[in-house]
Each structure stands twice: as structure tokens, then as C-alpha cells.
Amino acid sequence: MDLMGCGTALVTPFRRDGGVDEPALHALVNWQIEQGIDFLVPCGTTGEASTLTEAEWLRVVECVVGAAAGRVPVIADAHTTQRMRLWPGRRSSPESGACRGY
């Protein structure tokens, strides 16, 4: 996949109870695409990715892929701030529909 242009490391919106706010995430993805972004990076370098469980991380990626609906590429970031913790599920995310990034 050739990526060109500008991509956004998306923030992950949360509800007051600490869960991921999926409707807000969907709206954010739509707004980014409407504004002309070329690709999206969920769980990127905005900081919250290291606080997500693997299941939450995968759900965020799935939500972004679903909201993007093929309109722009989605690169699932797999970084962590913990030196030896690259989750097995983060090594490949084809089930989410996203390309993986490190």
C-alpha cells in the first residue's frame, strides 16, 4: 500500500465511565474524512493507546475501519510505552480490516 498525503493520529474519545465512546469516534472519523484527510491512524501517538486493553485496542481499530468504510486507508498503530509489551494481536490486525503500523 502506498500512502501519500496527510494522516491523522486519532484521539480516542471516552465516556465518563471510562469506556470508549464509539458514537463520538464514528463522528470524529467522518469529520476527518469530510475535511479531506488521506488516511487514519487509530491508537496512534496521542497517548491513550498504552492504557487500552488489547480488546479495547482492537475494538477502537474495528470502529475506525467500520466508520471509514473504505473511504480512506486505516493504519492500526501497534506501539506501546511498555518496552516488552507488543501484544500478539497487535502484531497483525487483518481481522480488524486495518493495515498494521509500528
Side-chain angles (χ1 to χ4, degrees):
M1 168 188 299
D2 270 341
L3 291 179
M4 297 187 71
C6 182
T8 299
L10 295 169
V11 296
T12 303
F14 293 96
R15 300 183 313 256
R16 288 191 184 273
D17 68 3
V20 174
D21 187 338
E22 293 184 21
L25 182 56
H26 189 91
L28 176 62
V29 168
N30 282 330
W31 184 83
Q32 288 284 326
I33 294 170
E34 289 165 4
Q35 298 307 308
I37 203 67
D38 297 303
F39 60 94
L40 298 167
V41 185
C43 303
T45 57
T46 56
E48 72 277 6
S50 62
T51 69
L52 298 172
T53 67
E54 186 170 3
E56 289 170 325
W57 173 87
L58 183 58
R59 184 64 192 143
V60 168
V61 172
E62 289 171 342
C63 285
V64 171
V65 168
R71 296 176 288 170
V72 297
V74 176
I75 308 300
D77 196 358
H79 83 283
T80 178
T81 58
Q82 297 178 18
R83 186 171 60 85
M84 298 305 290
R85 186 175 136 202
L86 179 61
W87 293 327
R90 289 188 179 191
R91 294 184 193 279
S92 62
S93 53
E95 68 276 9
S96 70
C99 296
R100 64 180 178 211
Y102 297 97

